[in-house]
Amino acid sequence: MTWSDELTRGAQSWADILAQNNTFKHAQGIGPGENLYLSGKPLPEEVCTEATTLFYEEIKKYDFNKPGFSRATGHFTQVNLFLKVLCNVLYSRSAFLQSRVVYRFSQT
């Protein structure tokens, strides 16, 4: 896994925009990957750990006999596929006592 300042800036900027606007949606025009997490109340103590754990738990639904993307396992697929490449995770807390986590992935 390699750190990327470019992915960091983009992920933090998007996390801040989501928090400031009290919204939750994927950014457009980024690729190849972005995972989002929105916490509820109470806030988890380790928000990034909580998000990653929830994404990885999709492994229970993943069909290793038919590998590939599915809506039920999309977060797991991203975390698993890009584990050894660029990955940056940033989060921002909003005035609504929620945390938004933005994971950005790249293959280069």
Side-chain angles (χ1 to χ4, degrees):
M1 189 178 307
T2 306
W3 188 261
S4 165
D5 289 337
E6 182 180 353
L7 287 177
T8 300
R9 285 188 299 274
Q12 184 65 66
S13 175
W14 190 242
D16 290 341
I17 288 169
L18 294 175
Q20 290 165 5
N21 293 290
N22 192 31
T23 190
F24 187 71
K25 62 182 180 179
H26 285 284
Q28 294 184 3
I30 62 114
E34 177 180 78
N35 281 350
L36 301 178
Y37 166 85
L38 176 66
S39 74
K41 298 175 190 173
L43 293 175
E45 286 186 37
E46 297 287 337
V47 67
C48 292
T49 301
E50 170 84 5
T52 303
T53 299
L54 289 173
F55 295 155
Y56 196 80
E57 284 181 355
E58 292 178 2
I59 192 173
K60 297 171 189 171
K61 300 175 186 174
Y62 191 77
D63 186 349
F64 286 92
N65 294 316
K66 295 180 183 177
F69 176 82
S70 78
R71 288 204 170 274
T73 62
H75 299 105
F76 163 74
T77 305
Q78 290 276 67
V79 170
N80 191 46
L81 277 177
F82 297 111
L83 191 59
K84 295 183 181 178
V85 295
L86 302 176
C87 177
N88 291 52
V89 182
L90 280 294
Y91 77 96
S92 188
R93 290 198 173 161
S94 72
F96 300 94
L97 298 178
Q98 296 172 318
S99 291
R100 287 152 175 84
V101 179
V102 177
Y103 289 66
R104 292 273 173 97
F105 305 92
S106 177
Q107 293 179 321
T108 58

